[in-house]
Amino acid sequence: MLRKIIATSTAALALTASAALAQSENPMVGGAPMFADKTIVENAVNSADHTTLVAAVQAAGLVETLSGPGPFTVFAPTNAAFEKLQAGTVENLLKPENKEMLTKVLTCHVVSADAMSDAIKGMIDDDGGTHPVPTVGGCTLQATYDGDEIMLTDERGRTANVTIADVDQSNGVIHVIDEVLLPAM
């Protein structure tokens, strides 16, 4: 009986350690753990740094899409990135009559692929230092890197830095960025 209890306890401990190890591979984002077995939306709603992005995704009706199978790479601007926009821009985009423009802005942060930072750097190297990144919103971002930091430049010449890379999701990957990327208007 004692052996059975020890074997059961050992198995439970191994499972707990395995789950902790799997979770520890992902960085914390916005003070919250990010779980590789959850979707982009399931993880994003827990990040204190992405409440504006989550509200925008909800207003644009993209929750179901970004909860789908993907794969997606999402360049996720923080609340601070949204605050850098001209005063009133976010509030204006969140109005129902501006849903089409909001959707365009958000989908210019999404790529139909699961692209971890090493893969992005490899594509940049293959293309001689700059790699065009077509988004599902029809925008083309220009990816570059310096050391470990990946940068994305939008069609207006604004550059966002990836501040937290490789946040693995069940349906893709999130890279946290410090600017909102905008389409050419």
Side-chain angles (χ1 to χ4, degrees):
M1 179 70 168
L2 184 57
R3 283 186 176 168
K4 187 174 184 179
I5 291 171
I6 292 172
T8 303
S9 295
T10 304
L13 184 59
L15 240 131
T16 303
S18 176
L21 180 60
Q23 198 285 306
S24 71
E25 293 174 7
N26 257 346
M28 298 272 286
V29 176
M34 298 287 115
F35 299 97
D37 63 346
K38 291 190 176 188
T39 68
I40 290 165
V41 173
E42 289 172 327
N43 276 317
V45 298
N46 294 318
S47 169
D49 292 342
H50 290 90
T51 56
T52 304
L53 178 61
V54 169
V57 166
Q58 291 169 338
L62 294 172
V63 170
E64 187 175 328
T65 300
L66 292 175
S67 296
F72 302 109
T73 295
V74 175
F75 298 105
T78 61
N79 295 340
F82 280 101
E83 290 169 8
K84 292 179 185 179
L85 295 173
Q86 189 174 36
T89 299
V90 173
E91 294 77 11
N92 194 41
L93 282 171
L94 291 174
K95 292 179 181 176
E97 62 268 23
N98 295 325
K99 183 177 178 178
E100 186 177 324
M101 177 52 68
L102 176 61
T103 300
K104 175 79 170 175
V105 169
L106 293 175
T107 57
C108 283
H109 291 80
V110 181
V111 178
S112 290
D114 188 344
M116 298 299 263
S117 61
D118 286 344
I120 295 170
K121 287 179 182 178
M123 291 181 269
I124 293 167
D125 288 341
D126 290 347
D127 287 345
T130 302
H131 177 70
V133 179
T135 68
V136 298
C139 303
T140 300
L141 308 174
Q142 300 301 319
T144 57
Y145 74 90
D146 184 15
D148 286 335
E149 186 172 65
I150 294 174
M151 288 85 63
L152 300 157
T153 303
D154 68 17
E155 295 174 336
R156 294 184 180 195
R158 298 165 51 91
T159 300
N161 300 297
V162 173
T163 58
I164 302 174
D166 300 335
V167 186
D168 194 23
Q169 314 290 296
S170 66
N171 61 343
V173 62
I174 292 174
H175 301 288
V176 177
I177 58 174
D178 63 358
E179 295 284 341
V180 176
L181 301 165
L182 299 172
M185 298 276 184

mmCIF file of all heavy atoms in Angstrom, residues 23-66:
data_model
loop_
_atom_site.group_PDB
_atom_site.id
_atom_site.type_symbol
_atom_site.label_atom_id
_atom_site.label_comp_id
_atom_site.label_asym_id
_atom_site.label_seq_id
_atom_site.Cartn_x
_atom_site.Cartn_y
_atom_site.Cartn_z
ATOM 1 N N GLN A 23 5.040 25.851 -18.453
ATOM 2 C CA GLN A 23 4.617 27.229 -18.278
ATOM 3 C C GLN A 23 5.833 28.142 -18.179
ATOM 4 O O GLN A 23 5.827 29.228 -18.698
ATOM 5 C CB GLN A 23 3.733 27.349 -17.044
ATOM 6 C CG GLN A 23 2.894 28.621 -17.010
ATOM 7 C CD GLN A 23 3.683 29.852 -16.666
ATOM 8 O OE1 GLN A 23 4.343 29.904 -15.685
ATOM 9 N NE2 GLN A 23 3.646 30.861 -17.482
ATOM 10 N N SER A 24 6.899 27.677 -17.523
ATOM 11 C CA SER A 24 8.058 28.534 -17.303
ATOM 12 C C SER A 24 8.786 28.865 -18.599
ATOM 13 O O SER A 24 9.569 29.797 -18.636
ATOM 14 C CB SER A 24 9.011 27.887 -16.301
ATOM 15 O OG SER A 24 9.646 26.765 -16.886
ATOM 16 N N GLU A 25 8.522 28.114 -19.649
ATOM 17 C CA GLU A 25 9.163 28.397 -20.925
ATOM 18 C C GLU A 25 8.630 29.676 -21.547
ATOM 19 O O GLU A 25 9.284 30.287 -22.363
ATOM 20 C CB GLU A 25 8.962 27.220 -21.882
ATOM 21 C CG GLU A 25 9.694 25.979 -21.433
ATOM 22 C CD GLU A 25 9.384 24.767 -22.293
ATOM 23 O OE1 GLU A 25 8.705 24.901 -23.324
ATOM 24 O OE2 GLU A 25 9.826 23.677 -21.910
ATOM 25 N N ASN A 26 7.421 30.097 -21.190
ATOM 26 C CA ASN A 26 6.838 31.326 -21.688
ATOM 27 C C ASN A 26 7.123 32.462 -20.710
ATOM 28 O O ASN A 26 7.020 32.271 -19.499
ATOM 29 C CB ASN A 26 5.316 31.177 -21.828
ATOM 30 C CG ASN A 26 4.880 30.969 -23.254
ATOM 31 O OD1 ASN A 26 5.631 31.182 -24.194
ATOM 32 N ND2 ASN A 26 3.652 30.546 -23.423
ATOM 33 N N PRO A 27 7.447 33.644 -21.229
ATOM 34 C CA PRO A 27 7.642 34.776 -20.325
ATOM 35 C C PRO A 27 6.301 35.253 -19.752
ATOM 36 O O PRO A 27 5.249 35.002 -20.333
ATOM 37 C CB PRO A 27 8.255 35.844 -21.237
ATOM 38 C CG PRO A 27 7.810 35.476 -22.605
ATOM 39 C CD PRO A 27 7.668 33.980 -22.623
ATOM 40 N N MET A 28 6.361 35.926 -18.641
ATOM 41 C CA MET A 28 5.187 36.585 -18.084
ATOM 42 C C MET A 28 4.919 37.814 -18.956
ATOM 43 O O MET A 28 5.853 38.450 -19.437
ATOM 44 C CB MET A 28 5.452 37.044 -16.644
ATOM 45 C CG MET A 28 5.754 35.932 -15.666
ATOM 46 S SD MET A 28 4.287 35.233 -14.926
ATOM 47 C CE MET A 28 3.815 36.512 -13.791
ATOM 48 N N VAL A 29 3.647 38.139 -19.138
ATOM 49 C CA VAL A 29 3.274 39.330 -19.902
ATOM 50 C C VAL A 29 2.223 40.086 -19.112
ATOM 51 O O VAL A 29 1.210 39.511 -18.715
ATOM 52 C CB VAL A 29 2.733 38.966 -21.301
ATOM 53 C CG1 VAL A 29 2.259 40.215 -22.041
ATOM 54 C CG2 VAL A 29 3.796 38.235 -22.127
ATOM 55 N N GLY A 30 2.483 41.347 -18.855
ATOM 56 C CA GLY A 30 1.533 42.157 -18.116
ATOM 57 C C GLY A 30 1.234 41.604 -16.742
ATOM 58 O O GLY A 30 0.116 41.711 -16.253
ATOM 59 N N GLY A 31 2.243 41.006 -16.113
ATOM 60 C CA GLY A 31 2.092 40.457 -14.778
ATOM 61 C C GLY A 31 1.369 39.127 -14.709
ATOM 62 O O GLY A 31 1.072 38.637 -13.626
ATOM 63 N N ALA A 32 1.085 38.539 -15.857
ATOM 64 C CA ALA A 32 0.334 37.281 -15.879
ATOM 65 C C ALA A 32 1.126 36.185 -16.574
ATOM 66 O O ALA A 32 1.827 36.446 -17.556
ATOM 67 C CB ALA A 32 -0.996 37.472 -16.594
ATOM 68 N N PRO A 33 0.983 34.954 -16.089
ATOM 69 C CA PRO A 33 1.607 33.842 -16.805
ATOM 70 C C PRO A 33 0.905 33.632 -18.144
ATOM 71 O O PRO A 33 -0.303 33.847 -18.261
ATOM 72 C CB PRO A 33 1.400 32.648 -15.881
ATOM 73 C CG PRO A 33 0.274 33.022 -14.981
ATOM 74 C CD PRO A 33 0.252 34.519 -14.905
ATOM 75 N N MET A 34 1.661 33.257 -19.135
ATOM 76 C CA MET A 34 1.126 32.957 -20.463
ATOM 77 C C MET A 34 1.275 31.460 -20.681
ATOM 78 O O MET A 34 2.375 30.920 -20.549
ATOM 79 C CB MET A 34 1.892 33.722 -21.546
ATOM 80 C CG MET A 34 1.792 35.237 -21.426
ATOM 81 S SD MET A 34 0.184 35.884 -21.910
ATOM 82 C CE MET A 34 -0.412 36.540 -20.344
ATOM 83 N N PHE A 35 0.185 30.797 -20.993
ATOM 84 C CA PHE A 35 0.172 29.349 -21.112
ATOM 85 C C PHE A 35 0.168 28.919 -22.573
ATOM 86 O O PHE A 35 -0.693 29.356 -23.346
ATOM 87 C CB PHE A 35 -1.047 28.773 -20.385
ATOM 88 C CG PHE A 35 -1.041 29.078 -18.918
ATOM 89 C CD1 PHE A 35 -1.759 30.142 -18.407
ATOM 90 C CD2 PHE A 35 -0.274 28.310 -18.047
ATOM 91 C CE1 PHE A 35 -1.733 30.431 -17.044
ATOM 92 C CE2 PHE A 35 -0.240 28.597 -16.686
ATOM 93 C CZ PHE A 35 -0.969 29.658 -16.186
ATOM 94 N N ALA A 36 1.100 28.069 -22.940
ATOM 95 C CA ALA A 36 1.232 27.607 -24.326
ATOM 96 C C ALA A 36 0.045 26.771 -24.781
ATOM 97 O O ALA A 36 -0.165 26.601 -25.980
ATOM 98 C CB ALA A 36 2.527 26.807 -24.492
ATOM 99 N N ASP A 37 -0.766 26.282 -23.845
ATOM 100 C CA ASP A 37 -1.931 25.482 -24.230
ATOM 101 C C ASP A 37 -3.217 26.315 -24.316
ATOM 102 O O ASP A 37 -4.291 25.780 -24.498
ATOM 103 C CB ASP A 37 -2.115 24.294 -23.281
ATOM 104 C CG ASP A 37 -2.403 24.709 -21.844
ATOM 105 O OD1 ASP A 37 -2.200 25.904 -21.503
ATOM 106 O OD2 ASP A 37 -2.814 23.842 -21.058
ATOM 107 N N LYS A 38 -3.078 27.648 -24.202
ATOM 108 C CA LYS A 38 -4.235 28.549 -24.338
ATOM 109 C C LYS A 38 -4.090 29.360 -25.610
ATOM 110 O O LYS A 38 -2.993 29.540 -26.140
ATOM 111 C CB LYS A 38 -4.337 29.473 -23.126
ATOM 112 C CG LYS A 38 -4.713 28.734 -21.855
ATOM 113 C CD LYS A 38 -5.033 29.686 -20.742
ATOM 114 C CE LYS A 38 -5.493 28.894 -19.517
ATOM 115 N NZ LYS A 38 -5.995 29.775 -18.471
ATOM 116 N N THR A 39 -5.217 29.882 -26.087
ATOM 117 C CA THR A 39 -5.194 30.672 -27.318
ATOM 118 C C THR A 39 -4.670 32.078 -27.054
ATOM 119 O O THR A 39 -4.550 32.513 -25.904
ATOM 120 C CB THR A 39 -6.607 30.791 -27.938
ATOM 121 O OG1 THR A 39 -7.414 31.603 -27.072
ATOM 122 C CG2 THR A 39 -7.234 29.435 -28.181
ATOM 123 N N ILE A 40 -4.434 32.780 -28.136
ATOM 124 C CA ILE A 40 -3.978 34.168 -28.065
ATOM 125 C C ILE A 40 -4.937 34.995 -27.222
ATOM 126 O O ILE A 40 -4.521 35.740 -26.336
ATOM 127 C CB ILE A 40 -3.830 34.732 -29.496
ATOM 128 C CG1 ILE A 40 -2.628 34.062 -30.178
ATOM 129 C CG2 ILE A 40 -3.712 36.242 -29.502
ATOM 130 C CD1 ILE A 40 -2.563 34.228 -31.679
ATOM 131 N N VAL A 41 -6.226 34.869 -27.474
ATOM 132 C CA VAL A 41 -7.221 35.646 -26.734
ATOM 133 C C VAL A 41 -7.274 35.225 -25.266
ATOM 134 O O VAL A 41 -7.309 36.079 -24.372
ATOM 135 C CB VAL A 41 -8.614 35.536 -27.395
ATOM 136 C CG1 VAL A 41 -9.686 36.204 -26.545
ATOM 137 C CG2 VAL A 41 -8.585 36.149 -28.794
ATOM 138 N N GLU A 42 -7.250 33.926 -24.991
ATOM 139 C CA GLU A 42 -7.310 33.441 -23.608
ATOM 140 C C GLU A 42 -6.144 33.982 -22.777
ATOM 141 O O GLU A 42 -6.314 34.300 -21.598
ATOM 142 C CB GLU A 42 -7.306 31.912 -23.562
ATOM 143 C CG GLU A 42 -8.595 31.288 -24.045
ATOM 144 C CD GLU A 42 -8.515 29.775 -24.188
ATOM 145 O OE1 GLU A 42 -7.431 29.246 -24.528
ATOM 146 O OE2 GLU A 42 -9.548 29.127 -23.971
ATOM 147 N N ASN A 43 -4.982 34.094 -23.370
ATOM 148 C CA ASN A 43 -3.831 34.635 -22.648
ATOM 149 C C ASN A 43 -3.876 36.156 -22.580
ATOM 150 O O ASN A 43 -3.613 36.745 -21.533
ATOM 151 C CB ASN A 43 -2.519 34.182 -23.295
ATOM 152 C CG ASN A 43 -2.079 32.810 -22.813
ATOM 153 O OD1 ASN A 43 -2.140 32.501 -21.641
ATOM 154 N ND2 ASN A 43 -1.631 31.989 -23.743
ATOM 155 N N ALA A 44 -4.222 36.815 -23.672
ATOM 156 C CA ALA A 44 -4.194 38.284 -23.726
ATOM 157 C C ALA A 44 -5.113 38.919 -22.686
ATOM 158 O O ALA A 44 -4.771 39.955 -22.112
ATOM 159 C CB ALA A 44 -4.557 38.764 -25.129
ATOM 160 N N VAL A 45 -6.263 38.311 -22.438
ATOM 161 C CA VAL A 45 -7.201 38.906 -21.475
ATOM 162 C C VAL A 45 -6.619 38.951 -20.060
ATOM 163 O O VAL A 45 -7.093 39.730 -19.232
ATOM 164 C CB VAL A 45 -8.580 38.186 -21.455
ATOM 165 C CG1 VAL A 45 -9.269 38.282 -22.790
ATOM 166 C CG2 VAL A 45 -8.455 36.751 -21.007
ATOM 167 N N ASN A 46 -5.589 38.177 -19.782
ATOM 168 C CA ASN A 46 -4.981 38.165 -18.452
ATOM 169 C C ASN A 46 -3.842 39.170 -18.292
ATOM 170 O O ASN A 46 -3.379 39.408 -17.183
ATOM 171 C CB ASN A 46 -4.485 36.763 -18.122
ATOM 172 C CG ASN A 46 -5.631 35.793 -17.985
ATOM 173 O OD1 ASN A 46 -6.654 36.110 -17.391
ATOM 174 N ND2 ASN A 46 -5.474 34.610 -18.551
ATOM 175 N N SER A 47 -3.390 39.769 -19.391
ATOM 176 C CA SER A 47 -2.276 40.711 -19.340
ATOM 177 C C SER A 47 -2.772 42.112 -18.982
ATOM 178 O O SER A 47 -3.550 42.716 -19.727
ATOM 179 C CB SER A 47 -1.565 40.763 -20.692
ATOM 180 O OG SER A 47 -0.647 41.853 -20.710
ATOM 181 N N ALA A 48 -2.290 42.644 -17.879
ATOM 182 C CA ALA A 48 -2.646 44.002 -17.472
ATOM 183 C C ALA A 48 -2.119 45.036 -18.466
ATOM 184 O O ALA A 48 -2.615 46.157 -18.513
ATOM 185 C CB ALA A 48 -2.104 44.284 -16.072
ATOM 186 N N ASP A 49 -1.125 44.669 -19.262
ATOM 187 C CA ASP A 49 -0.541 45.592 -20.243
ATOM 188 C C ASP A 49 -1.276 45.610 -21.579
ATOM 189 O O ASP A 49 -0.892 46.354 -22.488
ATOM 190 C CB ASP A 49 0.921 45.227 -20.514
ATOM 191 C CG ASP A 49 1.814 45.470 -19.310
ATOM 192 O OD1 ASP A 49 1.404 46.212 -18.391
ATOM 193 O OD2 ASP A 49 2.927 44.905 -19.284
ATOM 194 N N HIS A 50 -2.312 44.783 -21.727
ATOM 195 C CA HIS A 50 -2.977 44.674 -23.029
ATOM 196 C C HIS A 50 -4.492 44.875 -22.961
ATOM 197 O O HIS A 50 -5.219 44.397 -23.817
ATOM 198 C CB HIS A 50 -2.628 43.322 -23.671
ATOM 199 C CG HIS A 50 -1.201 43.269 -24.098
ATOM 200 N ND1 HIS A 50 -0.205 42.831 -23.265
ATOM 201 C CD2 HIS A 50 -0.610 43.659 -25.250
ATOM 202 C CE1 HIS A 50 0.958 42.940 -23.896
ATOM 203 N NE2 HIS A 50 0.746 43.442 -25.091
ATOM 204 N N THR A 51 -4.969 45.629 -21.968
ATOM 205 C CA THR A 51 -6.410 45.843 -21.837
ATOM 206 C C THR A 51 -6.975 46.642 -23.010
ATOM 207 O O THR A 51 -8.088 46.372 -23.456
ATOM 208 C CB THR A 51 -6.753 46.529 -20.495
ATOM 209 O OG1 THR A 51 -6.015 47.760 -20.399
ATOM 210 C CG2 THR A 51 -6.401 45.630 -19.319
ATOM 211 N N THR A 52 -6.217 47.600 -23.515
ATOM 212 C CA THR A 52 -6.684 48.384 -24.669
ATOM 213 C C THR A 52 -6.760 47.500 -25.909
ATOM 214 O O THR A 52 -7.743 47.548 -26.651
ATOM 215 C CB THR A 52 -5.767 49.601 -24.929
ATOM 216 O OG1 THR A 52 -5.698 50.387 -23.729
ATOM 217 C CG2 THR A 52 -6.288 50.454 -26.074
ATOM 218 N N LEU A 53 -5.747 46.675 -26.122
ATOM 219 C CA LEU A 53 -5.752 45.766 -27.264
ATOM 220 C C LEU A 53 -6.926 44.801 -27.176
ATOM 221 O O LEU A 53 -7.629 44.579 -28.166
ATOM 222 C CB LEU A 53 -4.435 44.994 -27.345
ATOM 223 C CG LEU A 53 -4.328 43.963 -28.472
ATOM 224 C CD1 LEU A 53 -4.452 44.623 -29.838
ATOM 225 C CD2 LEU A 53 -3.007 43.194 -28.366
ATOM 226 N N VAL A 54 -7.173 44.245 -26.010
ATOM 227 C CA VAL A 54 -8.283 43.309 -25.841
ATOM 228 C C VAL A 54 -9.615 44.008 -26.129
ATOM 229 O O VAL A 54 -10.473 43.472 -26.833
ATOM 230 C CB VAL A 54 -8.264 42.672 -24.430
ATOM 231 C CG1 VAL A 54 -9.559 41.917 -24.148
ATOM 232 C CG2 VAL A 54 -7.061 41.739 -24.293
ATOM 233 N N ALA A 55 -9.785 45.226 -25.619
ATOM 234 C CA ALA A 55 -11.021 45.983 -25.881
ATOM 235 C C ALA A 55 -11.185 46.249 -27.377
ATOM 236 O O ALA A 55 -12.293 46.148 -27.922
ATOM 237 C CB ALA A 55 -11.010 47.302 -25.105
ATOM 238 N N ALA A 56 -10.078 46.560 -28.044
ATOM 239 C CA ALA A 56 -10.129 46.826 -29.491
ATOM 240 C C ALA A 56 -10.469 45.552 -30.269
ATOM 241 O O ALA A 56 -11.271 45.588 -31.209
ATOM 242 C CB ALA A 56 -8.792 47.406 -29.958
ATOM 243 N N VAL A 57 -9.886 44.433 -29.890
ATOM 244 C CA VAL A 57 -10.179 43.143 -30.542
ATOM 245 C C VAL A 57 -11.658 42.804 -30.374
ATOM 246 O O VAL A 57 -12.323 42.359 -31.316
ATOM 247 C CB VAL A 57 -9.257 42.025 -29.997
ATOM 248 C CG1 VAL A 57 -9.751 40.644 -30.395
ATOM 249 C CG2 VAL A 57 -7.823 42.234 -30.477
ATOM 250 N N GLN A 58 -12.189 43.050 -29.183
ATOM 251 C CA GLN A 58 -13.612 42.806 -28.943
ATOM 252 C C GLN A 58 -14.484 43.729 -29.790
ATOM 253 O O GLN A 58 -15.434 43.287 -30.432
ATOM 254 C CB GLN A 58 -13.935 42.968 -27.447
ATOM 255 C CG GLN A 58 -13.320 41.880 -26.593
ATOM 256 C CD GLN A 58 -13.389 42.162 -25.099
ATOM 257 O OE1 GLN A 58 -13.513 43.305 -24.659
ATOM 258 N NE2 GLN A 58 -13.272 41.108 -24.314
ATOM 259 N N ALA A 59 -14.140 45.021 -29.830
ATOM 260 C CA ALA A 59 -14.919 46.005 -30.603
ATOM 261 C C ALA A 59 -14.893 45.706 -32.094
ATOM 262 O O ALA A 59 -15.868 45.966 -32.804
ATOM 263 C CB ALA A 59 -14.392 47.419 -30.327
ATOM 264 N N ALA A 60 -13.777 45.155 -32.568
ATOM 265 C CA ALA A 60 -13.644 44.839 -33.991
ATOM 266 C C ALA A 60 -14.282 43.497 -34.349
ATOM 267 O O ALA A 60 -14.364 43.142 -35.527
ATOM 268 C CB ALA A 60 -12.172 44.831 -34.392
ATOM 269 N N GLY A 61 -14.710 42.743 -33.345
ATOM 270 C CA GLY A 61 -15.306 41.433 -33.605
ATOM 271 C C GLY A 61 -14.299 40.377 -34.013
ATOM 272 O O GLY A 61 -14.620 39.444 -34.746
ATOM 273 N N LEU A 62 -13.070 40.490 -33.520
ATOM 274 C CA LEU A 62 -12.002 39.565 -33.904
ATOM 275 C C LEU A 62 -11.713 38.483 -32.865
ATOM 276 O O LEU A 62 -10.799 37.677 -33.049
ATOM 277 C CB LEU A 62 -10.711 40.348 -34.188
ATOM 278 C CG LEU A 62 -10.755 41.268 -35.405
ATOM 279 C CD1 LEU A 62 -9.500 42.142 -35.466
ATOM 280 C CD2 LEU A 62 -10.923 40.466 -36.680
ATOM 281 N N VAL A 63 -12.487 38.441 -31.777
ATOM 282 C CA VAL A 63 -12.239 37.460 -30.717
ATOM 283 C C VAL A 63 -12.325 36.038 -31.266
ATOM 284 O O VAL A 63 -11.440 35.213 -31.032
ATOM 285 C CB VAL A 63 -13.207 37.651 -29.529
ATOM 286 C CG1 VAL A 63 -13.104 36.492 -28.545
ATOM 287 C CG2 VAL A 63 -12.936 38.976 -28.834
ATOM 288 N N GLU A 64 -13.381 35.750 -32.005
ATOM 289 C CA GLU A 64 -13.561 34.395 -32.532
ATOM 290 C C GLU A 64 -12.421 34.008 -33.481
ATOM 291 O O GLU A 64 -11.888 32.912 -33.410
ATOM 292 C CB GLU A 64 -14.908 34.279 -33.246
ATOM 293 C CG GLU A 64 -15.237 32.863 -33.672
ATOM 294 C CD GLU A 64 -16.638 32.731 -34.264
ATOM 295 O OE1 GLU A 64 -17.541 33.460 -33.843
ATOM 296 O OE2 GLU A 64 -16.794 31.888 -35.165
ATOM 297 N N THR A 65 -12.038 34.938 -34.342
ATOM 298 C CA THR A 65 -10.952 34.671 -35.298
ATOM 299 C C THR A 65 -9.652 34.351 -34.562
ATOM 300 O O THR A 65 -8.998 33.348 -34.843
ATOM 301 C CB THR A 65 -10.734 35.882 -36.221
ATOM 302 O OG1 THR A 65 -11.936 36.128 -36.943
ATOM 303 C CG2 THR A 65 -9.597 35.632 -37.197
ATOM 304 N N LEU A 66 -9.279 35.204 -33.601
ATOM 305 C CA LEU A 66 -8.011 35.018 -32.891
ATOM 306 C C LEU A 66 -8.069 33.912 -31.839
ATOM 307 O O LEU A 66 -7.060 33.570 -31.235
ATOM 308 C CB LEU A 66 -7.548 36.335 -32.270
ATOM 309 C CG LEU A 66 -7.136 37.399 -33.291
ATOM 310 C CD1 LEU A 66 -6.798 38.713 -32.599
ATOM 311 C CD2 LEU A 66 -5.979 36.923 -34.153
#
